[in-house]
Amino acid sequence: MFLTVTANPSVDRTVEVDRLTRGDLHRASGVHVQPGGKGINVARALVRNGCKARAVVPAGGAEGDQLIGLLTGYSIEVVRVAALGPVRSNITIVEPDATVTKLNEAGARLSGPELEAFCDAVLAHMPGVDWVVAAGSLPPGVPDTFYADLISRLAPSGAKVAVDTSGPALLAAVEAGPTLVKPNLEELAEAVDRPLRTLREVVDAAGELRSRGAEAVLASLGGQGAVLVDGEGSWHAEARAEARSSVGAGDALLAGFLSTGGIGPSALATGVAWGAAAVSLPGSTMPGPEDVRAHRVVVHPDIEWDRRIDV
């Protein structure tokens, strides 16, 4: 069983247009409304591929009702935590070449009692859970140490914890010793405070996060796949994909990686296959078994250390 923690869930509206021009009127060629937030996306990907997932979300207002309604069609065990503020709405605009423009709301502020109730709900639903996925941005009023504090509170359960966030929240979480962190290239570069231009620099940066406390680092590199660095070594994998929307691809990558144990190059290959499949689908649609093309994944036996990263 996987349990996902999404402190800042959303209702995501993805609009497809022929071309985005500032100041112009646009006619949408496609519209997709889906439940959002990184943890929710991970849960959606897992259940589409036959895994059991439980999602804990604070959800208030009419938008919260809409979010829960959208989740009804998925085989996710949803734990709704009452909140006064409404769930945020995010808008993503996608062009035919897969260029993505995003408009994300900050989210409603969580009060101290609401945040405590949220944490209590996570801890109360831990029985039977093997992996906890704490993912996404933090809403206003939530301290940067939230994920780090949660890791400490989850330690007695024995569950493994994967964290996918950015900025100060990522740095604090790393210090708490999670099983896995999954930054993208920009987030990893920000975490080590330097640009990352080659695979060698990506691997070195991931090693730095490991030295600070993370057991393993899964770094997503967009169209150039992902790099895994753990105590056994480092690997790079990538896959061919016809891009339609990159929204949620990193969440699908993480879900695929965890679905096969979350260890080593085999899990990396599965993660990259799921991420590539997500890129080929509209909006933030998570891939199912019919979408995944495992044969397109290449796990390089030797990392091309000087290969430039262009994402």
Side-chain angles (χ1 to χ4, degrees), residues 141-233:
V142 177
D144 293 333
T145 57
F146 173 74
Y147 289 134
D149 295 339
L150 186 62
I151 291 168
S152 298
R153 295 179 69 173
L154 289 171
S157 73
K160 296 173 285 236
V161 182
V163 177
D164 183 0
T165 190
S166 60
L170 172 61
L171 293 176
V174 165
E175 299 288 342
T179 313
L180 175 75
V181 292
K182 194 221 72 64
N184 61 28
L185 183 65
E186 181 180 353
E187 293 160 350
L188 181 58
E190 181 184 15
V192 297
D193 195 26
R194 62 180 182 271
L196 305 175
R197 303 183 184 90
T198 67
L199 287 177
R200 183 185 301 276
E201 291 174 348
V202 170
V203 171
D204 288 345
E208 187 172 324
L209 294 194
R210 290 194 65 247
S211 71
R212 298 184 195 178
E215 292 181 27
V217 178
L218 176 64
S220 55
L221 305 177
Q224 292 180 264
V227 162
L228 171 65
V229 180
D230 63 19
E232 300 299 319

Side-chain angles (χ1 to χ4, degrees), residues 262-276:
I263 299 174
S266 177
L268 174 63
T270 301
V272 169
W274 287 28

Side-chain angles (χ1 to χ4, degrees), residues 40-248:
I40 287 175
N41 288 343
V42 170
R44 288 168 53 208
L46 288 166
V47 298
R48 279 215 65 193
N49 290 273
C51 301
K52 294 182 178 180
R54 180 180 298 148
V56 184
V57 294
E63 294 84 355
D65 294 338
Q66 183 182 14
L67 173 69
I68 300 303
L70 289 169
L71 284 168
T72 301
Y74 299 89
S75 301
I76 301 171
E77 180 186 332
V78 181
V79 179
R80 181 178 185 174
V81 180
L84 182 61
V87 164
R88 62 183 176 145
S89 297
N90 293 337
I91 298 174
T92 300
I93 303 171
V94 181
E95 298 175 68
D97 65 354
T99 298
V100 172
T101 302
K102 302 192 73 171
L103 301 172
N104 286 359
E105 295 182 6
R109 179 175 294 274
L110 285 181
S111 67
E114 288 172 337
L115 185 59
E116 191 60 31
F118 181 50
C119 291
D120 288 345
V122 172
L123 296 171
H125 289 84
M126 285 303 296
V129 170
D130 302 304
W131 275 97
V132 175
V133 181
S137 62
L138 297 175
V142 177
D144 293 333
T145 57
F146 173 74
Y147 289 134
D149 295 339
L150 186 62
I151 291 168
S152 298
R153 295 179 69 173
L154 289 171
S157 73
K160 296 173 285 236
V161 182
V163 177
D164 183 0
T165 190
S166 60
L170 172 61
L171 293 176
V174 165
E175 299 288 342
T179 313
L180 175 75
V181 292
K182 194 221 72 64
N184 61 28
L185 183 65
E186 181 180 353
E187 293 160 350
L188 181 58
E190 181 184 15
V192 297
D193 195 26
R194 62 180 182 271
L196 305 175
R197 303 183 184 90
T198 67
L199 287 177
R200 183 185 301 276
E201 291 174 348
V202 170
V203 171
D204 288 345
E208 187 172 324
L209 294 194
R210 290 194 65 247
S211 71
R212 298 184 195 178
E215 292 181 27
V217 178
L218 176 64
S220 55
L221 305 177
Q224 292 180 264
V227 162
L228 171 65
V229 180
D230 63 19
E232 300 299 319
S234 55
W235 301 269
H236 173 226
E238 57 188 330
R240 302 186 314 277
E242 185 173 334
R244 180 170 179 182
S245 171
S246 61
V247 181

